[in-house]
């Protein structure tokens, strides 16, 4: 038993921050950010919470799928920037939606959406789910050091979601891996105010070895696309759409060149969102679906990579889902209410 995608949703916070705005308080420029990353703007939370973004994306996906929250058997949320250390972000979304099923989070940073998809795949394989909601939702604006120009210009906030339904076939291929290394990309946990703690104190903000992660990103994408295609008895050039983690436009360019692929097949949202971590893939997928660019029979390769260092990849053959797309022209990723 496998799954197919029945609906997608996406959400960005209302506030759009341009590179020029960042250069008003950081030693950076629009030119540097565009040339080195491909990012023109990102959206960040002002009054919205992550619960708001995740619930909006989930509601859109449920609506497209024609599935009621009460019919969900599982809610999994991938996040590393939840509104809550506990309970799970997925529980908060389930409460708001009115879902009454097991709800938990997955923490695998930018690879997390694929790890969450794999968890859901297991539920379908064991016959435990008819419908599952899988969300990627991130609010990195709360874990960035806004004085560090090498990292804070790269990220944004956002959410994406898919509703999955039981199907005879599963993904053509689904791969997870971790090359354990904390220092390459780390956000230390909060230290709290224990009167007994004697270890180091420090802010809970993101630090990253940019060049190392860049190389890891390119090699991971190239390896995964080749492996996904091979496992499905295809060539990389046979894959219709590549929905890759949006960390840096130059990572997308390098991987596309190394694989000899048509850049038009590689989805790009980074110019408007920056890196929204595990929300990148479901957000991009929602945009493609709502723009009517994914068709039954298409193959779709997704690759997420990041802190861990973890990589998740998945090759799907797209089934019909448009039965419930009541208005495909509706703009994707409406801001949170
Ligand atoms: N504006 C202006 N100058 C800057 C900025 C900025 N925003 N940021 C860095 N610089 C400077 C540096 O200080 C350095 O100056 P120096 O030569 O005087 O020391 C110079 O630019 C070059 O710095 P590099 O780090 O070598 O720049 P690079 O071209 O490697 O780009 C970047 C840096 C954008 C971070 C790149 O390495 C990158 O994208 N890495 C991958 C990031 C990534 O994949 N992240 C995934 C995260 S996934 C997750 O799990 C969260």
């Amino acid at each position: 038993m496998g799954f197919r995608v029945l609906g997608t949703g996406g959400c960005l916070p209302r506030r759009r921050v341009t590179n020029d705005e960042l250069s008003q308080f950081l030693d950076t420029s629009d030119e540097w950010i565009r040339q080195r990353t491909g990012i023109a703007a990102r959206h960040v939370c002002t009054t919205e919470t992550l619960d708001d973004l995740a619930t909006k994306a989930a509601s859109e996906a449920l609506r497209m799928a024609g599935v009621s929250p009460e019919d969900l058997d599982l809610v999994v949320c991938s996040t590393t920037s939840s509104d809550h250390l506990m309970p799970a972000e997925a529980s908060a979304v389930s409460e708001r939606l009115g879902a009454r099923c097991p709800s938990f989070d997955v923490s695998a940073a930018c690879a997390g959406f694929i790890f969450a998809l794999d968890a859901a795949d297991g539920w379908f394989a064991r016959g435990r789910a008819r419908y599952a909601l899988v969300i990627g939702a991130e609010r990195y604006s709360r874990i960035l050091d806004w004085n560090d120009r090498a990292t804070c210009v790269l990220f944004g906030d956002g959410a994406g979601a898919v509703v999955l339904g039981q199907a005879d076939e599963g993904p053509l291929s689904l791969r997870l891996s971790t090359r354990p290394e904390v220092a390459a990309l780390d956000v230390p946990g909060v230290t709290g105010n224990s009167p007994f703690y004697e270890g180091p104190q420090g802010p809970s903000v993101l630090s990253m070895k940019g060049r190392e992660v860049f190389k890891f990103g390119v090699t991971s994408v190239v390896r995964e696309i080749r492996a996904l295609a091979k496992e499905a008895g295809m060539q990389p050039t046979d894959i219709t759409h590549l929905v890759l983690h949006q960390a840096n436009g130059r990572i997308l360019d390098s991987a596309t060149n190394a694989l000899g692929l048509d850049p038009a097949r590689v989805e790009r949202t980074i110019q408007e969102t920056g890196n929204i971590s595990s929300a990148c893939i479901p957000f991009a997928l929602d945009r493609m679906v709502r723009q009517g660019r994914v068709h039954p029979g298409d193959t779709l390769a997704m690759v997420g990579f990041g802190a861990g260092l973890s990589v998740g990849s998945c090759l799907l053959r797209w089934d019909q889902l448009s039965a419930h797309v009541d208005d495909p022209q509706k703009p994707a990723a409406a801001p949170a209410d």
Side-chain angles (χ1 to χ4, degrees):
M1 202 55 82
F3 68 80
R4 67 189 188 92
V5 178
L6 300 178
T8 63
C11 181
L12 295 176
R14 222 173 272 286
R15 178 72 160 91
R16 180 176 187 269
V17 178
T18 62
N19 296 337
D20 282 332
E21 282 185 85
L22 296 182
S23 69
Q24 287 167 17
F25 62 90
L26 283 171
D27 181 15
T28 190
S29 65
D30 179 53
E31 188 189 6
W32 193 97
I33 300 171
R34 276 182 201 261
Q35 279 184 0
R36 297 295 186 107
T37 72
I39 299 168
R42 73 286 295 143
H43 292 242
V44 300
C45 291
T46 51
T47 55
E48 306 96 335
T49 63
L50 193 67
D51 292 351
D52 294 333
L53 305 187
T55 305
K56 181 90 193 301
S59 303
E60 285 192 356
L62 285 164
R63 185 160 157 262
M64 185 190 289
V67 171
S68 305
E70 312 87 70
D71 292 333
L72 289 170
D73 302 302
L74 173 69
V75 176
V76 193
C77 182
S78 163
T79 186
T80 44
S81 48
S82 175
D83 283 338
H84 321 271
L85 280 177
M86 69 170 96
E89 185 64 41
S91 296
V93 174
S94 287
E95 182 180 35
R96 289 201 184 185
L97 292 173
R100 291 285 175 267
C101 57
S103 306
F104 63 88
D105 288 355
V106 162
S107 168
C110 302
F113 179 72
I114 308 295
F115 278 66
L117 212 53
D118 182 69
D121 188 39
W123 280 58
F124 287 108
R126 287 182 287 144
R128 291 183 65 179
R130 280 191 317 134
Y131 298 110
L133 171 64
V134 181
I135 306 166
E138 305 284 7
R139 189 177 155 196
Y140 270 41
S141 60
R142 61 143 54 96
I143 55 169
L144 294 171
D145 176 354
W146 285 94
N147 298 310
D148 177 13
R149 67 178 182 173
T151 53
C152 76
V153 304
L154 303 174
F155 296 92
D157 301 334
V162 294
V163 171
L164 307 177
Q166 206 174 47
D168 293 337
E169 302 289 325
L172 299 174
S173 179
L174 204 165
R175 298 162 47 85
L176 307 180
S177 62
T178 300
R179 190 190 89 192
E181 187 193 333
V182 172
L185 213 170
D186 187 26
V187 183
V190 292
T191 46
N193 67 352
S194 164
F196 307 105
Y197 177 69
E198 296 176 4
Q201 299 273 358
S204 184
V205 292
L206 183 146
S207 64
M208 178 175 70
K209 295 180 185 168
R211 285 187 181 189
E212 185 184 324
V213 181
F214 190 101
K215 284 184 204 144
F216 175 74
V218 176
T219 54
S220 298
V221 170
V222 172
R223 183 192 64 235
E224 292 303 308
I225 294 295
R226 286 191 177 132
L228 289 174
K230 190 171 176 199
E231 285 181 16
M234 301 164 62
Q235 296 296 323
T237 46
D238 296 332
I239 299 171
T240 325
H241 306 282
L242 284 92
V243 192
L244 308 175
H245 177 48
Q246 308 282 308
N248 187 319
R250 290 187 298 133
I251 295 179
L252 300 178
D253 293 339
S254 301
T256 309
N257 287 339
L259 290 162
L261 299 178
D262 175 2
R265 294 188 176 202
V266 181
E267 192 61 15
R268 262 177 206 258
T269 56
I270 189 166
Q271 61 280 4
E272 185 58 25
T273 62
N275 181 347
I276 50 176
S277 189
S278 70
C280 283
I281 292 174
F283 179 85
L285 184 59
D286 179 56
R287 194 178 74 151
M288 294 164 70
V289 168
R290 286 178 195 274
Q291 291 175 352
R293 292 189 282 119
V294 194
H295 304 104
D298 285 358
T299 45
L300 213 138
M302 303 178 274
V303 184
F305 60 87
L309 294 164
S310 289
V311 183
S313 64
C314 180
L315 184 65
L316 288 178
R317 189 174 300 284
W318 200 251
D319 212 331
Q320 83 287 350
L321 104 164
S322 20
H324 298 287
V325 184
D326 46 4
D327 181 6
Q329 299 308 320
K330 173 180 172 288
D337 289 326

